[in-house]
Amino acid sequence: MCSGGTLSILRSDSYVDLSQYRDQHFRGTRYDQERLLRKSCTLYVGNLSFYTTEEQIHELFGKSGDIKKIIMGLDKVKKTACGFCFVEYYARGDAENAMRYINGTRLDDRIIRTDWDAGFKEGRQYGRGRSGGQVRDEYRQDYDAGRGGYGKTVQCQLLFKWC
Amino acid sequence: MSRRRHSDDSDDSDGQPHKRRRTSEPSEIEERLESLICRVGEKSNSSLESNLEGLAGVLEADLPNYKSKILRILCTVARLLPEKLTVYTTLVGLLNARNYNFGGEFVEAMIRQLKECLKVNMYNEAVHLVRFLSDLVNCHVIAAPSMVAMFENFVSVTQEEDVPQVRCDWYIFAFLSSLPWVGKELYEKKDAEMDRLLSQTESYLKRRQKIHVPMLQVWTADKPHPQEEYLDCLWSQIQKLKKDRWQERHILRPYLAFDSILCEALQHNLPPFTPPPHTEDSVYPMPRVIFRMFDYTDDPEGPVMPGSHSVERFVIEENLHCIIKSHWKERKTCAAQLLSYPGNNKIPLNYHIVEVIFAELFQLPSPPHIEVMYTTLLIELCKLQPGSLPQVLAQATEMLYMRLDTMNTTCVDRFINWFSHHLSNFQFRWSWEDWSDCLTQDLEKPKPKFVREVLEKCMRLSYHQRIIDIVPASFSVLSPANPVCIYKYGDESNRSLPGYTVALCLTIAIKNKASNDEIFSILKDVPNPNQDDDDDEGFTFNPLKIEVFVQTLLHLAAKSFSHSFSALAKFHEVFKTLAESDEGKLHVLRVVYEVWKNHPQMIAVLVDKMIRTQIVDCAAVANWIFSSELAHDFTRFYIWEILHSTIRKMNKHVLKIHKELEDTKARLARQHKRRDSDDDDRSSDREDGPLEEQIERLQEKVESAQSEQKNLFLVIFQRFIMLLTEHLVRCETGGIDVFTPWYKSCIERLQQIFLQHHQIIQQYMVTFENLLFTAELDHHILAVFQQFCTVQCTSKLFMFSLLCG
């Protein structure tokens, strides 16, 4: 009668819940995307340094379970690392533990962020910013040595200033 | 009471519950009731007492309509929120005072729940229920004599014959661990009976076996803190409590404030409780060793830490462990709950928290939760207490380092993983010079070994130059190698090596996107050093072919893991052919090692990939690890990571096929059921055919996988026995001491195999006992096996007789 039940406060698993982000390029309905996200074994990892290697990512994310595949995010033009990647696990539970314990901790001295991904598809390894990198690096105003310095727009402005 | 709209929160911001006059959906009511009950005792503007009183009033009013829901919720919090035990016993006490029948029904429900838990082997939760019942004596819900009677039945389990020791252990533990809460009351009412129970307990504890203890201790040394067996420690704590006349000052007892109300209440008698009998399916909790690393001398300026045999220490540790168990998924909540544990100005809470976390992290055989959780939890705690917790953690790290010489190898592994990961979150800042003492020691000794392994792990999380930069120059002897690939055909000066020209040829071909067939034809020209074994037809084991191909390919793909994985995938056919024989598999692994010995991480991922793509099998990896080529690296951490990962893959594989078999059997059963309920004559047994065939095939697959699994462990144990026996014989004939650092490491690695994979090994025990762990074995090695048997908690009676004689 009683030994099976639990309490909702103990069921809370906020680190594993879906975030607000939905991939605008996803082919399918919102519902399809959410269904995939809820059973996905793939994580998007953001705020990486451009210099962070696959080896480092493997070492860190390997702490929550066996990794099936890592796909480094690339600048669409330069084909060099542009600060994000996908990590796919064999088991959903291992991906959940990464969301609980690796998300929000540091890699290469940077707080990295993980989020559920509906699954890698060819083309998704490229940045979607106009200049080839990630969108966030197009418009940001700060100087980030690990992500190419100033944002692209700012870089253009500076260049223009000196011409 | 204000009238609330349906959509409003049921509570005020001060946590004071209000009566609801609207009707809502039953599940919403249940949610609200659950929320009210769970949240009582949390931070609030009102006192705990007034919140409890208010909640008791609300629940009493809801009893006519929602009694069964309330019963269910209260039973569940009793089972799952033991850290708030006394809050809820007080609540039940107040309800019982207002409604005697409800109190009776609650007690009955608890007993039913207790019986169910015991039947399904939920022993940890059962302890919480027993403790809850005993605290209900303090709340005048249960009559003391009936509680004593229940404990009498518990203790009499020690008189049962032919049962596993761990069964008796649990009943004694359930009795003793309730006494901090209720010892005083029970002793006041029934001192003679209690004395008898305590003396029966004492004689049981004296005669029980403790062979398992060394296997579960984190340190082998007794100084500065003895690593006590958990029942021995608890017994000392209860004896001290008795000597102090059962005065216990740590536990928060809200019911004391309600004494005048509660003592008017009528009490219930517990029904006679017969412990359910032992069965084949009973699985009792494993014995434990209590981890201690701090005492009152470690925080001279703060509040005094309760002594190791004080009951306060027991209660604090129990509660902190329970908090982690409740909130392990929510690291911020967990950290906050730990830090808001009551009494934090009377006890050095930070020290208790750090000790409890390390106790879990180092627990043998395994931590209760995934290792990385503890790293992140400690980081959250540092964020919440930046002025104090980091210092305690640094102090703890220093102490753990100082005691490395006697620390169990498995625990050292976890210490290495924790410390390197922790440092990577804090820019690798550490006072390495403080540890310069290790530089003068033999590199195989625990301290320099630890520092080496930590630096290697730190490098994996960053890069080589970073590590060179963060340590003093004197530490270069311990710094990891630059993880570069070693290609034997790379230099012009290696021209004379056999296979050099083929290697060049291969390099060009691969760069030009050659196919597997083209590779085969290039390799045809490689002579076989084992010329006489060579057949004319097809490929046999040709070590030179393997060498040239694997060296060249891995060198070309050295840029990253992904490049190497692509290479393995592209030329999978070549690999499979070259590594067809057992010798071939072994040689592939040897060459991988030769190429990548500077980059253990790469070796590990390549071995993993090769197993998963069936280029090598698990037994080959096991043989390779014990081969003479790897002797130099045998005690390095990465070797054991590879071996355990290999065993886990094997285990997962068996489980997967087993599940497939069960699923297919279930499908067949469903099909039968459908046919039975279907009157249609057209359907027939014919339809079962494909499924039955599939089941047969899967059955074979399962048997074959299990056979492979058993064989893997056989190989591992055999090789261990050979290695250890060699060492023991050499020492005996040479007259030197057996206990070298290498020996300690090796024996503990063997123990680690047993402990990490005990459930699987259990299945093949008979084979291992008959083939390997026979009485002729050296007693040093046999002892490991025997200790393992005592740690295992099964119903197999023959194992118990093994213990006794």
Side-chain angles (χ1 to χ4, degrees), chain B residues 107-153:
Chain B
V107 171
E108 278 170 25
M110 283 287 284
I111 293 291
R112 273 199 302 275
Q113 191 180 211
L114 175 60
K115 285 194 174 132
E116 257 183 73
C117 281
L118 294 177
K119 225 181 1 184
V120 299
N121 293 323
M122 284 164 71
Y123 285 96
N124 295 324
E125 303 194 345
V127 168
H128 303 153
L129 296 176
V130 172
R131 236 176 255 166
F132 197 95
L133 288 171
S134 63
D135 202 45
L136 286 178
V137 171
N138 294 324
C139 300
H140 298 261
V141 178
I142 291 179
S146 70
M147 194 73 222
V148 174
M150 181 187 244
F151 284 143
E152 279 169 347
N153 286 343

Side-chain angles (χ1 to χ4, degrees), chain A residues 6 10 41 61 109 111 136 138 145 158:
Chain A
T6 181
L10 297 180
C41 296
F61 283 84
D109 301 317
I111 303 269
R136 55 187 295 225
E138 285 292 312
L158 287 174

Side-chain angles (χ1 to χ4, degrees), chain B residues 219-232:
Chain B
W219 291 288
T220 53
D222 267 344
K223 291 190 169 19
H225 306 294
Q227 303 297 293
E228 289 183 278
E229 213 267 350
Y230 80 115
L231 280 183
D232 287 345

Side-chain angles (χ1 to χ4, degrees), chain A residues 14-40:
Chain A
S14 62
Y15 287 89
V16 166
D17 292 341
L18 300 189
S19 72
Q20 304 291 56
Y21 175 86
R22 297 291 177 268
D23 183 3
Q24 298 301 323
H25 293 210
F26 178 80
R27 296 256 188 88
T29 65
R30 226 353 101 87
Y31 176 78
D32 290 336
Q33 192 176 163
E34 284 172 20
R35 198 172 40 88
L36 287 173
L37 291 174
R38 274 184 236 285
K39 54 184 190 99
S40 171

Side-chain angles (χ1 to χ4, degrees), chain B residues 16-29:
Chain B
Q16 189 76 331
H18 290 259
K19 281 194 180 145
R20 288 169 303 286
R21 303 244 173 89
R22 288 274 152 153
T23 53
S24 314
E25 289 298 322
S27 59
E28 275 182 39
I29 302 274

Side-chain angles (χ1 to χ4, degrees), chain B residues 439 452 455 464 468 471-481:
Chain B
L439 296 172
R452 265 185 77 189
L455 292 179
H464 187 248
I468 306 298
V471 291
S474 51
F475 275 71
S476 59
V477 63
L478 298 177
S479 298

Side-chain angles (χ1 to χ4, degrees), chain A residues 81-93:
Chain A
C82 69
F84 75 97
C85 75
F86 297 102
V87 176
E88 187 188 349
Y89 290 91
Y90 290 101
R92 163 91 186 178

Side-chain angles (χ1 to χ4, degrees), chain B residues 326-344:
Chain B
S326 293
H327 302 289
W328 62 273
K329 296 195 295 284
E330 296 280 3
R331 67 206 212 205
K332 286 192 162 62
T333 306
C334 194
Q337 289 284 340
L338 285 170
L339 287 171
S340 59
Y341 180 73
N344 61 0

